[in-house]
Amino acid sequence: MCKILRRISLLAAALMLVSLCVFADEDTEGKAKAGPGTDKISFESGTDSAADTALKGIKINHDESFDEADLRRCREVIGLVLAGETQDLGVRSFSGLEPISIGDSVTVYRDGKFIYIAADPSPGMNQLYGYELISRDRGLSWQLNHFHRVMDPGDMYIINGNIMYIDGIGMQTIAEPVISADFGKSYVKTDTSAIEKIMSLPSMEACYCYAKVKEIDVDQKRIVFNWFMNSSESAESINLFYRTTAPYPSFKKAGGEDLSGLLKAAEQYRKTGYLFEKSGSEKLDKIEVSSRFLKEYRLAGAEKTAREIRLAVNEIYARKGQDFKDDNIREYFESKKWYKPSPGKTVEEKELNEAEAYNVSILQELKKEYEALFNE
C-alpha cells in the first residue's frame, strides 16, 4: 500500500512540473515580458520583406515601461533602418563627430559599429519625448529607452558611443552638459559649481545660461565648453562668460576659465552674503568697481546692474541696522544672516564714516549711469 501511495505522489509531482513548464512556455511565446536591461527578446521574421528579414535573431533590451505597441513601433523602425527602407520614415542621417539635430520622425546616426536612432520625437515647450534605440554591434543587439529631454534640438553629440547633449536650454536657469556611457540609461553632469556662483549675483536674477561645445578632443578624451549668458531683458544680450574643460565619459573632474572675471566677486558673495565685504571699513577702488559692474552689465543688462548697485549702496546702511521701508530691499537683506535691523531706524549721513561716505558716493554715481542707460 505504501509503495502505491509513493508512486501516486511521484506521478502527481511530475505532472505538476510539466504543467508549470507548459504555462511558462505559453507566457514567453504569447507576450514579451518587459524587464530591466537583462531581458532579451528575439524577433523572428514572419514574412519575406527586407525589413523583417533584417530583424531575424536580433536581441532587444528594454526597460519595463515599454508595452507591446512600443515594441512593435521600435521593431518596425529598426527593421526599416537596417534594411535601408527609410524613404517613408522621414529619416535624417548623421555620421562622424558632428552635432545631431533630431528630426521630425526618425534620426539615424552611424559611426562604425555604433548605431543610434531617435524615433517619433514629440516636441513641446522645448521638451522632447520619444524612443531612443541604440546598438553597438551594427544592429545585432539593441537597447531601447523612452526619452524625455529638456533641450534645444541640435546640441547633441555621440563621442565614441557616449551620448552627450546640453540639458535644459530654454527651461532651466543653467542648461548644462550631460553624458551617458551606458546606452542612454543614465546620465552624469559636468561640474557647474563656478557657474552657479556667478549666477547667484543679484544682477543675474531672471537670466539663464547655457553651454555650447567649443572643441572635442577624441584622443585626449576631453570636451571644451563655452558658457553663454542670455538676459531676458534683451535677445541681443548674449555673451560668453566662462569656459570649462571636462573629461568624458565621466565628467567627474572639470577645469574652468573665468572669462568674465566675475568668479572672485561671486565666490565672496556666496561665502559672506556681502556684495562688498569691506565697504564699511575701506574705500573701494573706483576702477575695480566700475570694471566689475561693466562686466555684469554686458551679461545681465543695465536695469539689473543698476538694481545690484542700489543693493550695494544700501548694504552700507544695512550694516548699521537700517530698517528698510521698501519691501523688495527689506526682503533681500532679511535673507542675509548678518542683517540685524533696528525697528524704525533710519541711518543718517552723519553716522557714516569716511570710507562709507566715499563708497556711497561712487556707487550712487555708477547707479545713475546705468539707470540712464535703461531709461533711454
Side-chain angles (χ1 to χ4, degrees), residues 150-191:
V150 180
M151 65 178 289
D152 185 14
D155 288 299
M156 180 175 174
Y157 293 80
I158 294 177
I159 312 160
N160 291 340
N162 304 301
I163 303 168
M164 195 283 297
Y165 67 93
I166 311 300
D167 184 40
I169 289 183
M171 296 292 289
Q172 297 170 191
T173 302
I174 300 177
E176 57 193 322
V178 297
I179 195 165
S180 173
D182 58 4
F183 288 96
K185 290 184 288 186
S186 64
Y187 285 85
V188 293
K189 300 178 179 181
T190 189
D191 178 13

Short mmCIF file of all heavy atoms in Angstrom, two decimals, residues 150-191:
data_model
loop_
_atom_site.label_atom_id
_atom_site.label_comp_id
_atom_site.label_asym_id
_atom_site.label_seq_id
_atom_site.Cartn_x
_atom_site.Cartn_y
_atom_site.Cartn_z
N VAL A 150 14.77 67.96 -21.80
CA VAL A 150 14.57 69.40 -21.88
C VAL A 150 15.78 69.92 -22.64
O VAL A 150 16.88 69.95 -22.14
CB VAL A 150 14.50 70.03 -20.48
CG1 VAL A 150 14.29 71.53 -20.58
CG2 VAL A 150 13.38 69.39 -19.67
N MET A 151 15.58 70.26 -23.91
CA MET A 151 16.73 70.62 -24.72
C MET A 151 16.31 71.42 -25.93
O MET A 151 15.13 71.47 -26.28
CB MET A 151 17.46 69.36 -25.18
CG MET A 151 16.65 68.48 -26.11
SD MET A 151 17.54 67.03 -26.69
CE MET A 151 18.72 67.78 -27.80
N ASP A 152 17.27 72.04 -26.55
CA ASP A 152 17.08 72.71 -27.82
C ASP A 152 17.67 71.80 -28.89
O ASP A 152 18.87 71.57 -28.91
CB ASP A 152 17.83 74.05 -27.81
CG ASP A 152 17.59 74.86 -29.06
OD1 ASP A 152 16.65 74.51 -29.80
OD2 ASP A 152 18.31 75.83 -29.29
N PRO A 153 16.85 71.19 -29.75
CA PRO A 153 17.36 70.21 -30.71
C PRO A 153 18.56 70.75 -31.48
O PRO A 153 18.53 71.86 -31.99
CB PRO A 153 16.17 69.97 -31.64
CG PRO A 153 14.98 70.28 -30.79
CD PRO A 153 15.41 71.41 -29.90
N GLY A 154 19.61 69.96 -31.54
CA GLY A 154 20.82 70.36 -32.25
C GLY A 154 22.06 70.30 -31.39
O GLY A 154 23.16 70.16 -31.89
N ASP A 155 21.89 70.41 -30.04
CA ASP A 155 23.03 70.39 -29.14
C ASP A 155 23.29 68.98 -28.63
O ASP A 155 23.26 68.71 -27.44
CB ASP A 155 22.80 71.34 -27.96
CG ASP A 155 22.88 72.78 -28.39
OD1 ASP A 155 23.94 73.21 -28.86
OD2 ASP A 155 21.87 73.48 -28.25
N MET A 156 23.52 68.05 -29.54
CA MET A 156 23.73 66.66 -29.16
C MET A 156 24.90 66.09 -29.95
O MET A 156 25.04 66.35 -31.15
CB MET A 156 22.46 65.85 -29.42
CG MET A 156 22.58 64.39 -29.06
SD MET A 156 20.99 63.56 -29.27
CE MET A 156 21.48 61.88 -28.95
N TYR A 157 25.77 65.30 -29.28
CA TYR A 157 26.91 64.66 -29.93
C TYR A 157 27.00 63.22 -29.44
O TYR A 157 26.59 62.90 -28.32
CB TYR A 157 28.22 65.37 -29.56
CG TYR A 157 28.35 66.77 -30.11
CD1 TYR A 157 27.73 67.84 -29.48
CD2 TYR A 157 29.10 67.03 -31.25
CE1 TYR A 157 27.84 69.14 -29.98
CE2 TYR A 157 29.23 68.30 -31.75
CZ TYR A 157 28.59 69.35 -31.11
OH TYR A 157 28.71 70.63 -31.60
N ILE A 158 27.56 62.35 -30.29
CA ILE A 158 27.89 61.00 -29.87
C ILE A 158 29.38 60.83 -30.05
O ILE A 158 29.91 60.98 -31.17
CB ILE A 158 27.10 59.95 -30.67
CG1 ILE A 158 25.61 60.08 -30.33
CG2 ILE A 158 27.59 58.55 -30.34
CD1 ILE A 158 24.70 59.16 -31.10
N ILE A 159 30.08 60.54 -28.95
CA ILE A 159 31.53 60.52 -28.94
C ILE A 159 32.00 59.13 -28.52
O ILE A 159 31.84 58.74 -27.36
CB ILE A 159 32.08 61.57 -27.95
CG1 ILE A 159 31.40 62.93 -28.18
CG2 ILE A 159 33.59 61.69 -28.08
CD1 ILE A 159 31.50 63.87 -27.02
N ASN A 160 32.51 58.37 -29.48
CA ASN A 160 32.94 57.00 -29.21
C ASN A 160 31.84 56.19 -28.52
O ASN A 160 32.09 55.41 -27.60
CB ASN A 160 34.20 56.98 -28.35
CG ASN A 160 35.42 57.49 -29.10
OD1 ASN A 160 35.42 57.51 -30.33
ND2 ASN A 160 36.43 57.92 -28.38
N GLY A 161 30.61 56.40 -28.95
CA GLY A 161 29.49 55.66 -28.37
C GLY A 161 28.89 56.29 -27.13
O GLY A 161 27.88 55.80 -26.61
N ASN A 162 29.47 57.37 -26.63
CA ASN A 162 28.92 58.06 -25.47
C ASN A 162 27.99 59.18 -25.95
O ASN A 162 28.37 59.97 -26.81
CB ASN A 162 30.05 58.67 -24.62
CG ASN A 162 31.05 57.62 -24.20
OD1 ASN A 162 30.71 56.66 -23.54
ND2 ASN A 162 32.31 57.81 -24.60
N ILE A 163 26.81 59.24 -25.39
CA ILE A 163 25.81 60.22 -25.82
C ILE A 163 25.94 61.47 -24.96
O ILE A 163 25.88 61.39 -23.73
CB ILE A 163 24.39 59.64 -25.70
CG1 ILE A 163 24.27 58.35 -26.50
CG2 ILE A 163 23.35 60.65 -26.15
CD1 ILE A 163 23.02 57.57 -26.21
N MET A 164 26.13 62.63 -25.59
CA MET A 164 26.28 63.87 -24.84
C MET A 164 25.37 64.94 -25.42
O MET A 164 25.27 65.10 -26.63
CB MET A 164 27.75 64.33 -24.91
CG MET A 164 28.14 65.41 -23.90
SD MET A 164 27.57 67.07 -24.31
CE MET A 164 28.46 67.35 -25.82
N TYR A 165 24.66 65.64 -24.56
CA TYR A 165 23.85 66.75 -25.03
C TYR A 165 23.74 67.81 -23.93
O TYR A 165 24.11 67.58 -22.77
CB TYR A 165 22.46 66.28 -25.48
CG TYR A 165 21.56 65.74 -24.39
CD1 TYR A 165 20.66 66.57 -23.72
CD2 TYR A 165 21.58 64.40 -24.05
CE1 TYR A 165 19.83 66.08 -22.74
CE2 TYR A 165 20.75 63.89 -23.07
CZ TYR A 165 19.87 64.73 -22.42
OH TYR A 165 19.04 64.23 -21.43
N ILE A 166 23.23 68.98 -24.30
CA ILE A 166 23.05 70.07 -23.34
C ILE A 166 21.61 70.01 -22.84
O ILE A 166 20.67 70.09 -23.62
CB ILE A 166 23.32 71.45 -23.99
CG1 ILE A 166 24.66 71.43 -24.75
CG2 ILE A 166 23.31 72.54 -22.94
CD1 ILE A 166 25.87 71.13 -23.91
N ASP A 167 21.46 69.86 -21.54
CA ASP A 167 20.15 69.64 -20.95
C ASP A 167 19.58 70.93 -20.36
O ASP A 167 20.23 71.56 -19.53
CB ASP A 167 20.24 68.57 -19.85
CG ASP A 167 18.89 68.22 -19.26
OD1 ASP A 167 17.93 68.13 -20.03
OD2 ASP A 167 18.79 68.03 -18.03
N GLY A 168 18.39 71.32 -20.80
CA GLY A 168 17.68 72.40 -20.13
C GLY A 168 17.65 73.74 -20.85
O GLY A 168 17.20 74.73 -20.26
N ILE A 169 18.10 73.80 -22.10
CA ILE A 169 18.09 75.09 -22.81
C ILE A 169 16.65 75.59 -22.94
O ILE A 169 15.77 74.89 -23.42
CB ILE A 169 18.74 74.98 -24.19
CG1 ILE A 169 20.25 74.79 -24.03
CG2 ILE A 169 18.46 76.21 -25.04
CD1 ILE A 169 21.01 74.73 -25.33
N GLY A 170 16.42 76.83 -22.50
CA GLY A 170 15.09 77.42 -22.60
C GLY A 170 14.17 77.10 -21.45
O GLY A 170 13.10 77.70 -21.32
N MET A 171 14.57 76.17 -20.57
CA MET A 171 13.68 75.74 -19.50
C MET A 171 14.31 75.85 -18.11
O MET A 171 13.62 75.98 -17.12
CB MET A 171 13.25 74.29 -19.72
CG MET A 171 12.43 74.06 -20.97
SD MET A 171 10.80 74.82 -20.91
CE MET A 171 9.99 73.75 -19.72
N GLN A 172 15.63 75.80 -18.03
CA GLN A 172 16.31 75.82 -16.74
C GLN A 172 17.26 77.00 -16.66
O GLN A 172 17.75 77.49 -17.69
CB GLN A 172 17.09 74.51 -16.54
CG GLN A 172 16.18 73.29 -16.48
CD GLN A 172 16.94 71.98 -16.51
OE1 GLN A 172 16.34 70.93 -16.67
NE2 GLN A 172 18.25 72.03 -16.37
N THR A 173 17.52 77.46 -15.44
CA THR A 173 18.43 78.59 -15.24
C THR A 173 19.81 78.28 -15.78
O THR A 173 20.45 79.13 -16.41
CB THR A 173 18.52 78.95 -13.75
OG1 THR A 173 17.20 79.25 -13.26
CG2 THR A 173 19.41 80.15 -13.53
N ILE A 174 20.28 77.07 -15.54
CA ILE A 174 21.57 76.64 -16.06
C ILE A 174 21.35 75.42 -16.95
O ILE A 174 20.96 74.36 -16.47
CB ILE A 174 22.56 76.29 -14.93
CG1 ILE A 174 22.80 77.51 -14.03
CG2 ILE A 174 23.86 75.77 -15.49
CD1 ILE A 174 23.70 77.23 -12.84
N ALA A 175 21.56 75.59 -18.25
CA ALA A 175 21.45 74.47 -19.20
C ALA A 175 22.84 73.85 -19.29
O ALA A 175 23.77 74.45 -19.81
CB ALA A 175 20.99 74.95 -20.56
N GLU A 176 22.98 72.62 -18.76
CA GLU A 176 24.31 72.05 -18.58
C GLU A 176 24.53 70.78 -19.39
O GLU A 176 23.59 70.08 -19.75
CB GLU A 176 24.51 71.73 -17.09
CG GLU A 176 23.46 70.80 -16.51
CD GLU A 176 23.50 70.77 -15.01
OE1 GLU A 176 24.60 70.82 -14.44
OE2 GLU A 176 22.43 70.69 -14.39
N PRO A 177 25.80 70.47 -19.69
CA PRO A 177 26.10 69.25 -20.43
C PRO A 177 25.88 68.00 -19.58
O PRO A 177 26.22 67.98 -18.39
CB PRO A 177 27.59 69.39 -20.77
CG PRO A 177 27.91 70.84 -20.56
CD PRO A 177 26.99 71.30 -19.49
N VAL A 178 25.28 66.97 -20.17
CA VAL A 178 25.15 65.67 -19.53
C VAL A 178 25.65 64.61 -20.52
O VAL A 178 25.59 64.80 -21.72
CB VAL A 178 23.70 65.36 -19.12
CG1 VAL A 178 23.20 66.36 -18.09
CG2 VAL A 178 22.76 65.36 -20.34
N ILE A 179 26.14 63.49 -19.99
CA ILE A 179 26.70 62.46 -20.86
C ILE A 179 26.37 61.08 -20.32
O ILE A 179 26.26 60.88 -19.11
CB ILE A 179 28.24 62.63 -21.00
CG1 ILE A 179 28.77 61.83 -22.18
CG2 ILE A 179 28.96 62.28 -19.72
CD1 ILE A 179 30.18 62.20 -22.61
N SER A 180 26.16 60.14 -21.25
CA SER A 180 25.82 58.76 -20.88
C SER A 180 26.81 57.81 -21.52
O SER A 180 27.14 57.93 -22.70
CB SER A 180 24.41 58.42 -21.35
OG SER A 180 24.13 57.04 -21.14
N ALA A 181 27.26 56.82 -20.73
CA ALA A 181 28.15 55.78 -21.24
C ALA A 181 27.50 54.41 -21.16
O ALA A 181 28.16 53.39 -21.32
CB ALA A 181 29.46 55.78 -20.46
N ASP A 182 26.18 54.37 -20.90
CA ASP A 182 25.51 53.07 -20.71
C ASP A 182 24.23 52.96 -21.55
O ASP A 182 23.17 52.67 -21.03
CB ASP A 182 25.21 52.82 -19.23
CG ASP A 182 24.33 53.90 -18.61
OD1 ASP A 182 23.89 54.82 -19.35
OD2 ASP A 182 24.08 53.85 -17.40
N PHE A 183 24.36 53.22 -22.82
CA PHE A 183 23.22 53.10 -23.74
C PHE A 183 22.11 54.10 -23.42
O PHE A 183 20.94 53.84 -23.68
CB PHE A 183 22.62 51.68 -23.71
CG PHE A 183 23.47 50.63 -24.35
CD1 PHE A 183 24.30 49.85 -23.58
CD2 PHE A 183 23.43 50.43 -25.72
CE1 PHE A 183 25.08 48.86 -24.16
CE2 PHE A 183 24.21 49.43 -26.31
CZ PHE A 183 25.04 48.65 -25.53
N GLY A 184 22.42 55.22 -22.82
CA GLY A 184 21.41 56.22 -22.54
C GLY A 184 20.52 55.93 -21.34
O GLY A 184 19.54 56.64 -21.12
N LYS A 185 20.86 54.91 -20.55
CA LYS A 185 20.02 54.57 -19.40
C LYS A 185 20.23 55.55 -18.25
O LYS A 185 19.34 55.78 -17.44
CB LYS A 185 20.30 53.14 -18.94
CG LYS A 185 19.79 52.08 -19.92
CD LYS A 185 19.99 50.67 -19.39
CE LYS A 185 21.44 50.27 -19.41
NZ LYS A 185 21.62 48.85 -19.01
N SER A 186 21.43 56.12 -18.13
CA SER A 186 21.70 57.09 -17.07
C SER A 186 22.68 58.13 -17.60
O SER A 186 23.44 57.87 -18.54
CB SER A 186 22.29 56.40 -15.84
OG SER A 186 23.54 55.81 -16.15
N TYR A 187 22.62 59.32 -17.00
CA TYR A 187 23.47 60.42 -17.44
C TYR A 187 24.17 61.05 -16.24
O TYR A 187 23.63 61.08 -15.14
CB TYR A 187 22.63 61.49 -18.15
CG TYR A 187 22.20 61.11 -19.54
CD1 TYR A 187 21.07 60.34 -19.75
CD2 TYR A 187 22.96 61.50 -20.65
CE1 TYR A 187 20.67 59.97 -21.03
CE2 TYR A 187 22.57 61.14 -21.93
CZ TYR A 187 21.43 60.37 -22.12
OH TYR A 187 21.06 60.01 -23.39
N VAL A 188 25.39 61.54 -16.47
CA VAL A 188 26.11 62.29 -15.44
C VAL A 188 26.30 63.71 -15.94
O VAL A 188 26.34 63.96 -17.15
CB VAL A 188 27.48 61.65 -15.11
CG1 VAL A 188 27.29 60.30 -14.45
CG2 VAL A 188 28.35 61.53 -16.35
N LYS A 189 26.41 64.66 -15.01
CA LYS A 189 26.53 66.07 -15.35
C LYS A 189 27.96 66.54 -15.15
O LYS A 189 28.71 66.00 -14.34
CB LYS A 189 25.60 66.90 -14.46
CG LYS A 189 24.14 66.55 -14.58
CD LYS A 189 23.30 67.39 -13.63
CE LYS A 189 21.82 67.06 -13.78
NZ LYS A 189 20.98 67.89 -12.88
N THR A 190 28.31 67.59 -15.88
CA THR A 190 29.61 68.21 -15.67
C THR A 190 29.53 69.14 -14.44
O THR A 190 28.44 69.43 -13.93
CB THR A 190 30.04 69.01 -16.91
OG1 THR A 190 31.39 69.44 -16.74
CG2 THR A 190 29.18 70.23 -17.11
N ASP A 191 30.68 69.57 -13.97
CA ASP A 191 30.74 70.42 -12.78
C ASP A 191 30.34 71.85 -13.13
O ASP A 191 30.98 72.50 -13.95
CB ASP A 191 32.17 70.39 -12.24
CG ASP A 191 32.36 71.29 -11.02
OD1 ASP A 191 31.35 71.73 -10.45
OD2 ASP A 191 33.51 71.55 -10.65
#
